[in-house]
Each structure stands twice: as structure tokens, then as C-alpha cells.
Amino acid sequence: MSGSKIRVAILDDYQGIAPEKFSRLTSRIDVANFPDTLAPDSEESLIQRLQPYHVISTMRERTALPGNVIRSLPNLKLILTTGMKNAAIDISACTDRGIIVAGAKGIGIDQGAKPPTSLDSTLEHTWSLILGIVRNIARDDARVKTQQAWQTSAATGLSGKTLGLLGLGKLGADTARVGVLAFGMKIVAWSSNLTQEAADEKARAFGFPEGTFRVAASKEELLQASDVVSIHYVLSERTRNILAARELALMKPSAFLINTSRGPLVDEEALLDALKQGKIRGAALDVYNVEPLPSDSEWRTTPWGKDGRSEVLLSPHMGYVEDGVMQRWYEDTVANLEKWLDGQELQTKLT
């Protein structure tokens, strides 16, 4: 493109990584940074914020860009998103308006060996949450630092316990691998299309014997058998609330639920109710229905682990927020913007 400078809005860069990456294009673009995510009901405010801009750089699935917003941004020509999919963007509305949406693979510019990815980061975070909740790490840390108490309860061991995986894709299978190798856990998995043959193939790829990853006959069987349930499912209208009150009631009272996938996979009200009543031992969550969590969210304000309530461990959607990954995502984003400014074809177009 030529003429006056292109106006670029950077959304949701909580860590302040993006401006330095975009700085090498300042002779060609004017950049504004909006690190604060507007509440979901502030659509009109979002439109007013973004109307002057030709390009939006967004972190995937933070600020939503639905059709109403897309159609109300007359200057918008390009959306740059991290990752290679972003359910928060109405792709159809972008296509109708001829707006290009380009993803970022986050593998670095002109690099040789493939570096760790967001899936690797999420794997590590999943196990951090599992260990954090079963070993009472955050709770005991807070009590020691505030001199409230010393040892107050025993941790839960993982050796020989059953790890239940809702979803056995790459991340689910890697989670299972760690459970087997590090803790000698038994693995049971389920998804709507998962077969024992497919699970055996994944086990063999790790050097495990067939049957190491046992496929449950049903979701219900998995929930009843598992000591730790970890969710690794893709969110869609079909999978929304895949765990609701009926399913949660099947879990062992001693079981833990881990969710690093998407909040709406679990019926949030049903989970809150189950945890308030102490129906399971605990939950460790990285994802929520509304993000960032409002200050008055029950997840923030409930005194978890007291008066019969379950233990709850919360993290602020950190599964993919690893320094190297974030740096590379923004490097790829800026490279895409430069190509677009030069009139070159973008290789990671989503529209």
C-alpha cells in the first residue's frame, strides 16, 4: 500500500511485547496499543475504539470481533491474529467485506529447527496445575507466607492413580505420556470419535505397549473411573457444556478436574455448584466463560477450600503465554504486516 501511514491497533498485549516488534515499521505505520480488554457487553465502545484503524493486531480469543463489530469498521482491511485459528473473529463477516485475516504460526522467522510451540507450553501448564492442586502448593504457600498455618492436610499422590483424558489429540496424548512416564499413572481416554485402535497407535508412537491408553466405553465410564480428569477438547456448539451437572455428579468425591482447554466446555454454574458443595476434591482452571475474570466473579470471591468447599486453583489463561512463544507470534505478525504493506501474498491467510 502507498500514501499516508496505515493505522494499526494492537489489542490485548497484556505483557507489552508487541510495540517493540512493530517499531521497525514506524516509518510506514502509526501504532496504537490497547492492552485492556473491554467487557463483552461493551460492543459500542469497541467499535468507537477501532473505527479509525486499517489494521488490527489481536491475540487469539481475547477481544471478540463479531460480525456487528466487523461491519461497523469501514477502514478495516487486515486482521492479524496469533495462532492459526481464532474463534473470537467472525471469519464469515470478514470474507463478506473482503477483509484479510492472517494467522501467525509462532515458529519464528527463517528458523531451522522447530522451537517449542504453544502446545508444549500448555502441556507444561497442565501438569503444573495438576501438581499444584493435588499437592496444595498455592494454598500452602499463601498460608506459610501469612503465618496462618503450617501443615493442615495431606497431599494426594498420583502414583498408580487413574488419569482420565477428555480428548486424546496431540495435547491429550502428550499429557498421558507424562502421566505414564513420570508417575506410573493408568490412562483412560474418551472422545466422541476415539477408537481403541487410534489410542493404541498413539501409545506405540511413544514406545508404550498397546492398551496403555485405554479407551472408555463412554464419557460416563471415564468420569466414574478417574482420579484426575483433564480436558483436551476443541470448543464448538456440539461440545459446549460437555461436562454439565449430570456428568460432574459421576466423578469420585476424591477426584480433581483440570481445564486448560476452554471454559465453556464445562457448565460453569454446575461446576461452581459442585465445588461449593464439595462434591469433588478440587478443580484447577486456566480458562473461564468470561475472560479476563470480572472482579466480582465467584471464582475470585468465593472462599475456596473452607467450610466444606472444594479446593480451587486458578490461573489467568496462561497455558500458551510462554515468553518464547509470545515473542515468535508477534515476530510472525509483524512479518505478515510488512508483506501486506509490500503487496505480497500472505501464506497464513484464514480468509
Side-chain angles (χ1 to χ4, degrees), residues 25-95:
L25 298 178
T26 51
S27 64
R28 307 175 70 180
I29 62 175
D30 284 325
V31 178
N33 194 23
F34 300 102
D36 57 314
T37 300
L38 294 173
D41 59 356
S42 303
E43 193 171 279
E44 187 56 42
S45 297
L46 180 62
I47 291 170
Q48 291 178 10
R49 169 182 285 185
L50 297 179
Q51 272 193 337
Y53 296 96
H54 306 98
V55 179
I56 295 172
S57 169
T58 183
M59 180 59 61
R60 76 177 181 192
E61 295 177 31
R62 289 186 178 172
T63 289
L65 296 173
N68 287 343
V69 172
I70 297 297
R71 288 186 286 270
S72 300
L73 303 178
N75 297 309
L76 184 60
K77 294 177 172 55
L78 174 66
I79 299 175
L80 301 164
T81 180
T82 55
M84 287 304 294
K85 58 183 177 181
N86 190 336
I89 299 173
D90 189 327
I91 299 294
S92 177
C94 292
T95 301

Side-chain angles (χ1 to χ4, degrees), residues 237-256:
E237 285 308 310
R238 183 175 61 85
T239 62
R240 188 177 296 271
N241 292 340
I242 194 170
L243 293 186
R246 183 182 72 86
E247 288 80 15
L248 293 170
L250 297 174
M251 294 179 65
K252 298 177 181 180
S254 58
F256 297 87

Side-chain angles (χ1 to χ4, degrees), residues 33-217:
N33 194 23
F34 300 102
D36 57 314
T37 300
L38 294 173
D41 59 356
S42 303
E43 193 171 279
E44 187 56 42
S45 297
L46 180 62
I47 291 170
Q48 291 178 10
R49 169 182 285 185
L50 297 179
Q51 272 193 337
Y53 296 96
H54 306 98
V55 179
I56 295 172
S57 169
T58 183
M59 180 59 61
R60 76 177 181 192
E61 295 177 31
R62 289 186 178 172
T63 289
L65 296 173
N68 287 343
V69 172
I70 297 297
R71 288 186 286 270
S72 300
L73 303 178
N75 297 309
L76 184 60
K77 294 177 172 55
L78 174 66
I79 299 175
L80 301 164
T81 180
T82 55
M84 287 304 294
K85 58 183 177 181
N86 190 336
I89 299 173
D90 189 327
I91 299 294
S92 177
C94 292
T95 301
D96 290 344
R97 282 208 44 217
I99 296 167
I100 297 171
V101 181
K105 293 183 177 180
I107 60 174
I109 306 302
D110 298 327
Q111 295 193 25
K114 183 179 179 182
T117 68
S118 60
L119 289 178
D120 300 306
S121 176
T122 303
L123 171 66
E124 293 179 19
H125 199 73
T126 296
W127 275 103
S128 297
L129 289 179
I130 293 173
L131 292 171
I133 189 72
V134 303
R135 306 301 303 188
N136 305 315
I137 300 296
R139 184 201 68 189
D140 289 351
D141 171 78
R143 290 179 179 178
V144 170
K145 287 177 176 175
T146 58
Q147 302 180 35
Q148 291 181 3
W150 191 238
Q151 295 181 7
T152 57
S153 63
T156 298
L158 295 176
S159 179
K161 296 288 178 64
T162 297
L163 173 62
L165 298 159
L166 282 171
L168 198 68
K170 184 182 188 311
L171 185 51
D174 281 341
T175 302
R177 172 176 55 86
V178 174
V180 172
L181 291 176
F183 304 106
M185 298 187 78
K186 302 169 186 174
I187 305 298
V188 59
W190 177 88
S191 69
S192 57
N193 298 311
L194 181 62
T195 65
Q196 188 61 57
E197 290 76 15
D200 286 341
E201 183 177 346
K202 291 178 182 291
R204 287 195 302 270
F206 293 132
F208 299 149
E210 293 183 1
T212 301
F213 302 162
R214 182 178 70 83
V215 176

Side-chain angles (χ1 to χ4, degrees), residues 166-330:
L166 282 171
L168 198 68
K170 184 182 188 311
L171 185 51
D174 281 341
T175 302
R177 172 176 55 86
V178 174
V180 172
L181 291 176
F183 304 106
M185 298 187 78
K186 302 169 186 174
I187 305 298
V188 59
W190 177 88
S191 69
S192 57
N193 298 311
L194 181 62
T195 65
Q196 188 61 57
E197 290 76 15
D200 286 341
E201 183 177 346
K202 291 178 182 291
R204 287 195 302 270
F206 293 132
F208 299 149
E210 293 183 1
T212 301
F213 302 162
R214 182 178 70 83
V215 176
S218 65
K219 175 175 57 176
E220 291 74 15
E221 180 191 316
L222 177 140
L223 294 169
Q224 291 170 326
S226 299
D227 298 295
V228 177
V229 176
S230 187
I231 303 173
H232 302 284
Y233 237 81
V234 175
L235 178 64
S236 67
E237 285 308 310
R238 183 175 61 85
T239 62
R240 188 177 296 271
N241 292 340
I242 194 170
L243 293 186
R246 183 182 72 86
E247 288 80 15
L248 293 170
L250 297 174
M251 294 179 65
K252 298 177 181 180
S254 58
F256 297 87
L257 177 66
I258 317 297
N259 189 4
T260 55
S261 290
R262 291 293 181 270
L265 289 164
V266 184
D267 183 327
E268 188 169 72
E269 290 304 314
L271 180 57
L272 280 164
D273 182 65
L275 295 170
K276 287 177 185 175
Q277 296 185 50
K279 290 184 177 180
I280 61 175
R281 179 70 179 272
L285 309 174
D286 189 44
V287 288
Y288 313 90
N289 281 13
V290 176
E291 298 180 9
L293 280 177
S295 59
D296 61 351
S297 166
E298 289 187 83
W299 293 118
R300 291 181 183 264
T301 60
T302 303
W304 299 112
K306 298 179 180 180
D307 301 323
R309 301 179 190 90
S310 303
E311 295 289 346
V312 172
L313 178 61
L314 307 177
S315 61
H317 204 151
M318 293 294 292
Y320 63 94
V321 186
E322 186 176 287
D323 183 61
V325 173
M326 303 289 281
Q327 296 282 346
R328 291 190 299 272
W329 265 344
Y330 278 122

